[in-house]
Amino acid sequence: MTVPATAVQPLTRVAVHLGSRRLDVALDASRTLAEVLTAAGVTRTPGLLVIDAGGRALDLTSPLAAQVEDGSLVHVVAPAPRPRGRAARARAAWVARRPDPQPALIGAAGASAAVLGAVELLDPAHRGWVALVAAVVLGVGALLLATARTTAESAATLVAPLLGLAAGVAAVDPAGDADRRLALVAGLVAATGAAAVRFVTTRAQRRGQDLATVLLTAVGVVAGLALAVLLAGLPAVVVAAVLLGLVPFALRLLPVWSLSVPDDQLVDLAHVARTAPSVRGPRPRGLGRVNERQVGRTVDSAERRSDAGVLLVCAVPPVLVPVLLVAALGDTLRGWGAVVLVAGLVVVLSLQPRSARGAVARWAPRVAAALVLVELAAVGGSRLDDGALVAVGCVLLALVAAAVSIALGRGWSSVVASRFGDFVEGLGVVAAMPAALIAADMIETLRRMTS
């Protein structure tokens, strides 16, 4: 028996993504995308796009079966809402630019300020009212940038102390060596003030405070040390020596200092507090349970502070080692102290990243160690009698460090080698500060002060 076949119209099955929603639709070959969107409750706004899996825009008024195959996936992309207000539209126009010009403009201002400060220090000529006007302009610019609410947070945080440094240097006419030191100390104090204002601003805005905290600490330490050395009448090379001696300790303290966990999260004070004031007063309340979001936010903030601190600390040896070598290599005792200091720095910078986490913490100290070796070979080769031997030793040490780094990167491990590395690293940390003080001729300075 033959049954006559009835005509069945074929259906086209598609999956439509609407943000977090997904609709599985089966429709006739004559249906359009506009009808599908209307049935799904999507408003036809200007700029609305429907694209397939390959990124091709589809026509809303043409039949869907003629544009996609059966079982295809299409995405509905709606335009972002237009910002309300003139300020919001201007901010959106700034953000929409690629690349963002703000970091480049702020960086150019910082570079100009650094060049101006360097020229003021190197040229001993008096400038009178020109330098005073430059100091006022730079100071106002540093204050405005430190308090500004900008999308280029990191650039503003870095450049505001540079503008303050240039303003402080320009405020003092460096006619001689003593005036140059005074101008530099004034610039460092002004940079610390700008960094402090920027820190308060970022804390109030609740964003970008990690870099501001590290920068304020670093600039404050340098300014305080330079001011103390100037008031004590010590040679200027003492500042470079003490900062180089503090580098190994700073690298060891950064991981501990970066991660800050409240005591209430470690100990339940409501149960362990048994002191007399706690009996008379109300019982302390705990912070509650620790959730995954809170832990992730705390760890990310600690990693940002650690990376910023590592970069700042690793920038100190390449900048200050030539200054100390030039001043110390003319004397035998001071020269050996400088060589021991450089050796300790290279050892610490090469071995400390073994247990570090993150690309910045692993590679920034190693790059700094390589630069210090190059500087020792360049400066020591021209100022020491056996400079060729020093250069060859630096090259051999660099080759050994590179071989060890490659072996560690490929997964090589040894308990004996690790213990030996810990011993050598600890020896470098302990010997760094005494060697730095010897290279700065602090023995002779103390003898003169006590005699």
Side-chain angles (χ1 to χ4, degrees), residues 12 16 25-26 50 73 99 167 172 179 224 228 252 280 313-314 316 328 334 350 361 368 380 400 433:
T12 301
V16 183
V25 182
V50 179
L73 178 66
V172 180
D179 293 334
R252 286 208 167 189
R280 298 189 184 97
V313 171
C314 292
V316 172
R334 296 179 62 187
S350 301
V400 171
M433 183 60 74

mmCIF file of all heavy atoms in Angstrom, residues 12 16 25-26 50 73 99 167 172 179 224 228 252 280 313-314 316 328 334 350 361 368 380 400 433:
data_model
loop_
_atom_site.group_PDB
_atom_site.id
_atom_site.type_symbol
_atom_site.label_atom_id
_atom_site.label_comp_id
_atom_site.label_asym_id
_atom_site.label_seq_id
_atom_site.Cartn_x
_atom_site.Cartn_y
_atom_site.Cartn_z
ATOM 1 N N THR A 12 15.240 25.555 9.710
ATOM 2 C CA THR A 12 16.644 25.919 9.941
ATOM 3 C C THR A 12 16.838 26.125 11.440
ATOM 4 O O THR A 12 16.164 26.967 12.054
ATOM 5 C CB THR A 12 17.010 27.198 9.177
ATOM 6 O OG1 THR A 12 16.785 26.997 7.787
ATOM 7 C CG2 THR A 12 18.471 27.562 9.404
ATOM 8 N N VAL A 16 21.180 31.336 19.122
ATOM 9 C CA VAL A 16 21.339 32.789 19.194
ATOM 10 C C VAL A 16 21.861 33.134 20.584
ATOM 11 O O VAL A 16 21.231 32.797 21.595
ATOM 12 C CB VAL A 16 20.010 33.518 18.916
ATOM 13 C CG1 VAL A 16 20.220 35.022 18.924
ATOM 14 C CG2 VAL A 16 19.430 33.061 17.587
ATOM 15 N N VAL A 25 16.688 28.108 18.326
ATOM 16 C CA VAL A 25 15.527 28.473 17.509
ATOM 17 C C VAL A 25 15.486 27.577 16.282
ATOM 18 O O VAL A 25 16.536 27.287 15.665
ATOM 19 C CB VAL A 25 15.598 29.957 17.084
ATOM 20 C CG1 VAL A 25 14.363 30.341 16.290
ATOM 21 C CG2 VAL A 25 15.772 30.845 18.298
ATOM 22 N N ALA A 26 14.274 27.135 15.936
ATOM 23 C CA ALA A 26 14.016 26.417 14.682
ATOM 24 C C ALA A 26 12.956 27.207 13.927
ATOM 25 O O ALA A 26 11.837 27.389 14.418
ATOM 26 C CB ALA A 26 13.549 24.995 14.962
ATOM 27 N N VAL A 50 24.402 41.573 14.288
ATOM 28 C CA VAL A 50 24.282 40.124 14.455
ATOM 29 C C VAL A 50 25.354 39.505 13.575
ATOM 30 O O VAL A 50 25.373 39.710 12.361
ATOM 31 C CB VAL A 50 22.878 39.612 14.062
ATOM 32 C CG1 VAL A 50 22.808 38.106 14.239
ATOM 33 C CG2 VAL A 50 21.804 40.297 14.896
ATOM 34 N N LEU A 73 25.729 29.100 14.760
ATOM 35 C CA LEU A 73 25.682 29.910 15.979
ATOM 36 C C LEU A 73 25.839 31.367 15.583
ATOM 37 O O LEU A 73 26.756 31.730 14.844
ATOM 38 C CB LEU A 73 26.806 29.514 16.940
ATOM 39 C CG LEU A 73 26.921 30.300 18.250
ATOM 40 C CD1 LEU A 73 25.714 30.040 19.141
ATOM 41 C CD2 LEU A 73 28.213 29.912 18.976
ATOM 42 N N PRO A 99 46.667 54.597 20.488
ATOM 43 C CA PRO A 99 46.900 54.373 21.910
ATOM 44 C C PRO A 99 46.503 55.585 22.744
ATOM 45 O O PRO A 99 46.317 56.684 22.210
ATOM 46 C CB PRO A 99 48.420 54.156 21.969
ATOM 47 C CG PRO A 99 48.929 54.978 20.848
ATOM 48 C CD PRO A 99 47.897 54.899 19.745
ATOM 49 N N ALA A 167 61.636 70.704 40.581
ATOM 50 C CA ALA A 167 61.284 71.972 41.226
ATOM 51 C C ALA A 167 62.226 72.279 42.390
ATOM 52 O O ALA A 167 62.682 73.413 42.555
ATOM 53 C CB ALA A 167 59.835 71.917 41.710
ATOM 54 N N VAL A 172 67.178 76.041 44.072
ATOM 55 C CA VAL A 172 68.494 76.352 44.639
ATOM 56 C C VAL A 172 69.479 76.494 43.492
ATOM 57 O O VAL A 172 69.634 75.567 42.688
ATOM 58 C CB VAL A 172 68.955 75.248 45.617
ATOM 59 C CG1 VAL A 172 70.323 75.595 46.187
ATOM 60 C CG2 VAL A 172 67.930 75.067 46.727
ATOM 61 N N ASP A 179 76.542 73.597 47.091
ATOM 62 C CA ASP A 179 75.211 74.016 46.651
ATOM 63 C C ASP A 179 74.539 72.944 45.806
ATOM 64 O O ASP A 179 73.311 72.803 45.827
ATOM 65 C CB ASP A 179 75.310 75.312 45.855
ATOM 66 C CG ASP A 179 75.736 76.487 46.729
ATOM 67 O OD1 ASP A 179 75.468 76.418 47.938
ATOM 68 O OD2 ASP A 179 76.342 77.428 46.203
ATOM 69 N N GLY A 224 65.595 60.984 53.197
ATOM 70 C CA GLY A 224 66.025 61.021 54.586
ATOM 71 C C GLY A 224 67.507 60.726 54.748
ATOM 72 O O GLY A 224 68.208 61.376 55.537
ATOM 73 N N ALA A 228 70.294 63.376 56.096
ATOM 74 C CA ALA A 228 71.111 63.060 57.266
ATOM 75 C C ALA A 228 72.602 63.162 56.950
ATOM 76 O O ALA A 228 73.389 63.683 57.754
ATOM 77 C CB ALA A 228 70.771 61.654 57.771
ATOM 78 N N ARG A 252 65.238 40.912 50.413
ATOM 79 C CA ARG A 252 64.734 39.880 51.320
ATOM 80 C C ARG A 252 63.477 40.318 52.062
ATOM 81 O O ARG A 252 62.628 39.493 52.398
ATOM 82 C CB ARG A 252 65.829 39.522 52.326
ATOM 83 C CG ARG A 252 66.950 38.685 51.736
ATOM 84 C CD ARG A 252 67.590 37.827 52.785
ATOM 85 N NE ARG A 252 68.449 36.814 52.205
ATOM 86 C CZ ARG A 252 68.985 35.820 52.906
ATOM 87 N NH1 ARG A 252 68.727 35.711 54.195
ATOM 88 N NH2 ARG A 252 69.752 34.936 52.316
ATOM 89 N N ARG A 280 36.996 44.648 80.721
ATOM 90 C CA ARG A 280 36.149 45.812 81.029
ATOM 91 C C ARG A 280 35.424 46.332 79.784
ATOM 92 O O ARG A 280 34.335 46.890 79.899
ATOM 93 C CB ARG A 280 37.012 46.942 81.603
ATOM 94 C CG ARG A 280 37.702 46.570 82.905
ATOM 95 C CD ARG A 280 38.353 47.805 83.529
ATOM 96 N NE ARG A 280 39.098 47.457 84.725
ATOM 97 C CZ ARG A 280 40.391 47.239 84.777
ATOM 98 N NH1 ARG A 280 41.102 47.339 83.656
ATOM 99 N NH2 ARG A 280 40.998 46.942 85.897
ATOM 100 N N VAL A 313 64.268 48.631 43.531
ATOM 101 C CA VAL A 313 65.491 48.202 44.206
ATOM 102 C C VAL A 313 66.547 47.773 43.194
ATOM 103 O O VAL A 313 67.740 48.081 43.340
ATOM 104 C CB VAL A 313 65.172 47.063 45.196
ATOM 105 C CG1 VAL A 313 66.444 46.443 45.754
ATOM 106 C CG2 VAL A 313 64.325 47.588 46.345
ATOM 107 N N CYS A 314 66.136 47.059 42.147
ATOM 108 C CA CYS A 314 67.096 46.600 41.143
ATOM 109 C C CYS A 314 67.625 47.734 40.275
ATOM 110 O O CYS A 314 68.639 47.549 39.587
ATOM 111 C CB CYS A 314 66.447 45.531 40.262
ATOM 112 S SG CYS A 314 66.112 43.986 41.128
ATOM 113 N N VAL A 316 68.759 50.473 41.596
ATOM 114 C CA VAL A 316 69.779 51.160 42.398
ATOM 115 C C VAL A 316 71.200 50.722 42.038
ATOM 116 O O VAL A 316 72.066 51.577 41.810
ATOM 117 C CB VAL A 316 69.489 50.961 43.903
ATOM 118 C CG1 VAL A 316 70.627 51.500 44.763
ATOM 119 C CG2 VAL A 316 68.188 51.652 44.274
ATOM 120 N N ALA A 328 86.194 55.019 44.695
ATOM 121 C CA ALA A 328 86.901 54.098 45.585
ATOM 122 C C ALA A 328 88.082 53.396 44.947
ATOM 123 O O ALA A 328 88.987 52.956 45.673
ATOM 124 C CB ALA A 328 85.923 53.041 46.119
ATOM 125 N N ARG A 334 89.895 50.948 49.918
ATOM 126 C CA ARG A 334 88.570 51.285 49.412
ATOM 127 C C ARG A 334 88.264 50.521 48.119
ATOM 128 O O ARG A 334 87.119 50.122 47.884
ATOM 129 C CB ARG A 334 88.462 52.787 49.162
ATOM 130 C CG ARG A 334 88.589 53.636 50.408
ATOM 131 C CD ARG A 334 88.496 55.100 50.067
ATOM 132 N NE ARG A 334 87.188 55.411 49.473
ATOM 133 C CZ ARG A 334 86.896 56.608 48.962
ATOM 134 N NH1 ARG A 334 87.798 57.572 48.936
ATOM 135 N NH2 ARG A 334 85.700 56.820 48.449
ATOM 136 N N SER A 350 71.899 37.377 41.751
ATOM 137 C CA SER A 350 71.832 36.186 40.905
ATOM 138 C C SER A 350 71.138 35.018 41.596
ATOM 139 O O SER A 350 70.434 34.233 40.949
ATOM 140 C CB SER A 350 73.249 35.768 40.490
ATOM 141 O OG SER A 350 73.891 36.803 39.784
ATOM 142 N N ALA A 361 60.108 39.446 39.368
ATOM 143 C CA ALA A 361 60.968 39.098 40.498
ATOM 144 C C ALA A 361 62.076 38.133 40.109
ATOM 145 O O ALA A 361 63.110 38.081 40.790
ATOM 146 C CB ALA A 361 60.127 38.493 41.623
ATOM 147 N N ALA A 368 69.949 43.254 36.510
ATOM 148 C CA ALA A 368 70.746 44.212 37.285
ATOM 149 C C ALA A 368 72.134 43.656 37.582
ATOM 150 O O ALA A 368 73.131 44.392 37.521
ATOM 151 C CB ALA A 368 70.017 44.556 38.582
ATOM 152 N N GLY A 380 86.613 49.173 36.239
ATOM 153 C CA GLY A 380 87.794 48.570 36.850
ATOM 154 C C GLY A 380 88.915 48.343 35.857
ATOM 155 O O GLY A 380 90.097 48.413 36.221
ATOM 156 N N VAL A 400 79.310 31.674 34.344
ATOM 157 C CA VAL A 400 78.868 30.714 35.357
ATOM 158 C C VAL A 400 77.423 30.995 35.762
ATOM 159 O O VAL A 400 76.597 30.075 35.885
ATOM 160 C CB VAL A 400 79.809 30.757 36.577
ATOM 161 C CG1 VAL A 400 79.237 29.933 37.723
ATOM 162 C CG2 VAL A 400 81.183 30.242 36.190
ATOM 163 N N MET A 433 76.904 45.507 53.450
ATOM 164 C CA MET A 433 76.957 46.795 54.149
ATOM 165 C C MET A 433 78.357 47.123 54.661
ATOM 166 O O MET A 433 78.828 48.270 54.465
ATOM 167 C CB MET A 433 75.936 46.817 55.289
ATOM 168 C CG MET A 433 75.873 48.146 56.021
ATOM 169 S SD MET A 433 75.431 49.541 54.933
ATOM 170 C CE MET A 433 73.688 49.206 54.699
#
